[in-house]
Amino acid sequence: MPPHWFIFGSIGVVPLTIEEPKNTEIGDGREGSLEFGGSYILKDNMTLSMSVKSQSREFDYDTAPDQTHDVGGLLFRYNYTFR
């Protein structure tokens, strides 16, 4: 059986273009995400995981006030692999 514990993480940044329904560009923005956590292997096909995740979005409009949206949380997961 593999080691019982492992850690993981992910990071991502995505540039955005804000468009009206008629494909007219009205601004730009950014989206970012960061996650860090660990998993414990119970059996070959079962794991328990816990992680902390944070996401942020920034919208820079050409003709309207800018917006920022932040969200984060603590995640718990149970994974089972069917064979």
Side-chain angles (χ1 to χ4, degrees):
M1 189 154 114
H4 292 288
W5 284 99
F6 65 93
I7 60 171
F8 60 88
S10 66
I11 186 171
V13 177
V14 178
L16 304 169
T17 300
I18 305 168
E19 296 180 351
E20 289 181 332
K22 297 177 182 178
N23 293 332
T24 304
E25 186 176 323
I26 60 169
D28 59 10
R30 288 155 301 291
E31 179 175 356
S33 177
L34 176 65
E35 182 176 11
F36 179 76
S39 288
Y40 182 76
I41 299 171
L42 298 170
K43 294 184 178 179
D44 286 340
N45 61 344
M46 288 188 282
T47 62
L48 289 176
S49 302
M50 184 177 79
S51 65
V52 175
K53 187 171 188 174
S54 176
Q55 292 180 315
S56 176
R57 291 186 181 127
E58 296 178 16
F59 301 110
D60 300 326
Y61 292 97
D62 295 338
T63 58
D66 296 345
Q67 296 180 10
T68 302
H69 304 274
D70 297 314
V71 66
L74 183 62
L75 300 133
F76 295 96
R77 297 180 187 97
Y78 170 77
N79 298 305
Y80 181 85
T81 304
F82 295 94
R83 297 180 186 195

